Amino acid sequence: MSDTSVIGPPQATATASSLPPATHTVDSILDQLDQFQQRATYGAVAGIVDSSPRSLMTGRPRDPRSSWIVSGKNGMPTGYEPDQTHPAIKSRQEILDSRQALESWLQNPA
């Protein structure tokens, strides 16, 4: 019997690090932050959606759902009145303050 095996490039297998990143929008991130009552900084969210932190919320309402995106300086949303801020805004001490931390959390929120 002859050896008929084919030698070629190894077959690629998908791993967590080789899969394309999930596509997120500001709205999809806000949905998850609101569902789990978790704060994230403007910079962290902007890093994921490829935006400037300063223009991230331009044109968006100042409402409790949007208030989960906060300033890294004080942990609160910039320019919001108390009635525009979610009542549970400080229910979690942790604030996701980097793109990497937010990406990780979005994959496995807790």
Side-chain angles (χ1 to χ4, degrees), residues 2-17:
S2 66
D3 182 12
T4 59
S5 62
V6 177
I7 298 175
Q11 296 295 318
T13 57
T15 64
S17 62

Side-chain angles (χ1 to χ4, degrees), residues 2-52:
S2 66
D3 182 12
T4 59
S5 62
V6 177
I7 298 175
Q11 296 295 318
T13 57
T15 64
S17 62
S18 68
L19 292 174
T23 302
H24 294 285
T25 64
V26 173
D27 283 319
S28 71
I29 293 169
L30 277 171
D31 287 343
Q32 197 160 321
L33 293 172
D34 188 44
Q35 178 183 354
F36 290 92
Q37 298 188 347
Q38 175 64 58
R39 291 178 284 172
T41 64
Y42 294 105
V45 176
I48 289 181
V49 299
D50 195 27
S51 175
S52 160

Side-chain angles (χ1 to χ4, degrees), residues 26-84:
V26 173
D27 283 319
S28 71
I29 293 169
L30 277 171
D31 287 343
Q32 197 160 321
L33 293 172
D34 188 44
Q35 178 183 354
F36 290 92
Q37 298 188 347
Q38 175 64 58
R39 291 178 284 172
T41 64
Y42 294 105
V45 176
I48 289 181
V49 299
D50 195 27
S51 175
S52 160
R54 289 189 177 266
S55 63
L56 182 68
M57 302 303 282
T58 300
R60 293 186 166 273
R62 289 186 175 158
D63 60 15
R65 177 178 168 268
S66 297
S67 70
W68 294 108
I69 301 178
V70 300
S71 167
K73 291 181 181 176
N74 64 8
M76 295 298 289
T78 302
Y80 282 57
E81 296 296 326
D83 66 327
Q84 296 171 321

